[in-house]
Amino acid sequence: MMFTEQDRIGRIWTDPAAGSILEKHFSFLAEERHLAFAYKIMTLREFLDARQELGFTDQERAAFLQELAQLPSTKLLERRAEMVNKPQEAPQGAAEIGRHSEGAGLISSPKSAAKWGVYELELRGPAYGNPYTDIDLKATFVCEEDGRSIRVPGFYNGNGVYKIRMMPGEEGRWTYRTESTEKALDGHEGIFVCTAPEAGNHGPVRVRDKYHFAYEDGTAYLPFGTTCYVWTHQGEELEQQTLESLTRSPFNKMRMCVFPKSYLYNLNEPELYPYEGSIREGWNFSVFNPEFFDHLEQRIADLGRLGIEADLILFHPYDRWGFSEMSREEDDLYLRYIVARLSAYRHVWWSLANEYDLMWAKTGEDWERYARIITENDPYGHLLSNHNWLNFYDHSKPWLTHCSLQRIDVYKTSEAALEWRERWDKPIVIDECAYEGDIDQGWGNITGEEMVRRFWEGTIRGGYVGHGETYLNDEEVLWWSKGGRLVGDSPARIGFLRSLVEEAPGQCWEPLRSDWDLPCAGIRDEYYVYYFGFNQPKFRIFHMRPGIKYKVDIIDTWGMTIDESAGVHEGSFRIELPGRPYMAVRLTRAE
């Protein structure tokens, strides 16, 4: 089959022969591989039309198409196919490891685990062949208190070691039994006791009251998140600096990627890769690198100790290694593996993608299949989303627990939170409302004032807004991707907002019927918060139900001050304001 102008650039570029022709005619592509996603999503016709607007002639177009038309298309790079099909060689002495070797089977079985903690079984089995694909391992856990049964998948961790992880959700005695296609791993039984949860562990986050969140024990959870896409790929010193910055921040959710990222200000190579292989030789997408995943787990555990949810992005398009263009079978193997490794961590969320609609190699059916794999293999029902670039995903899908959104309008952002809530009937998390910073990209150079305004606008309308920071520095360590230090003006003000919501009845702001020019949230006849945004009135007349008295606070959302208006107010009353932007007024019923 020949290539046509309807084929995507991604399909052409990843073919060895066609890709070389593409780069010969468009030499700039070889230098812009970190921006490959922007080209790969385009059809060949769209790409050529865009180039002709920049001076590519009709004659040059005809010559390119003629050369391309002489080539048959291929499905996979020859080297990649060779790596995938290459059997893993048995390590020295591997014949002594396995079903007949001394020491095979269960080697670690703790006697207890805290509620919503991680209970881990460790077993020894074969290290030869490819244990990632050749051996199936599961375990069934039963709680003696209420009879609940949980079946969880296990995984291979290299060097002949297999693990099964489980998150007990009920105190008391639990029993377990392993199942495996490998004799040395099959039929192991045991008992452990689930003790009270550790301090600060309230269980996994769930959706509450349709539009909000709470931990499993009922404690309210307000997602005030930030984004550090590839902070876990930056080395020990910078990663520790990121964790230190988080301890002084108001953020309790972190959007982060599994795979490394290739993009502006992200051209460094990671220290670890998720697969066996190398950039030069290619990757074996059927053999994982346990050291990579051990490191990822350590950082996820670090976030847990800080009370921060890990919103884990499973796929993204910013890729020069091929992780975004794996085959269907390779994607599925990866998803089963990572869910087996991480689902026992109570603070993990699953985000199928960052900007799913930029991933040229994925189809609508792929996203549905990924969701099935996750929901079938995650027995705890962690939160699950899919994040957009320009086109919203269909958030009405029943497997989506909440809406993870990026703005699709330059101006209207958080102001649409209530509209989106009513559209999808689910919690609205605006994970990208743009970033506070000063880079040349429109999504990364809003002021701290504007970031805080967007937080207030989204919150007052019943949504949850995410932070990011993109200030230039000589080291090109921008928080939004690599972490490091927070230097912006918005985090402290976001923390101030968070404290106000936490003080509210029910620890949430529910939108209320408002005047056309002044959004409002709270509880009718009990508690109201009004936000003026960039407007700057000198006073406001409020019309409340007669017979109910209110204490009134005037809040400077940027200056982080609260001034109480003298006396109590009832019916229609006038409140004097300072005539500057970013003010709010809070009415609390006076007992």
Side-chain angles (χ1 to χ4, degrees), residues 77 95 219 263 272 299 360 373 437 475 557:
L77 299 174
T219 302
Y263 190 45
L272 297 170
R299 291 296 174 246
W360 73 272
I373 291 172
E475 296 78 21
T557 68

Side-chain angles (χ1 to χ4, degrees), residues 6 18 66 123 155 170 297-298 306 338 425 467:
Q6 301 307 314
Q66 183 178 7
L123 305 95
F155 62 93
E170 184 67 36
E297 289 162 4
Q298 177 58 55
L306 296 179
I338 199 165
D425 225 22
H467 161 273

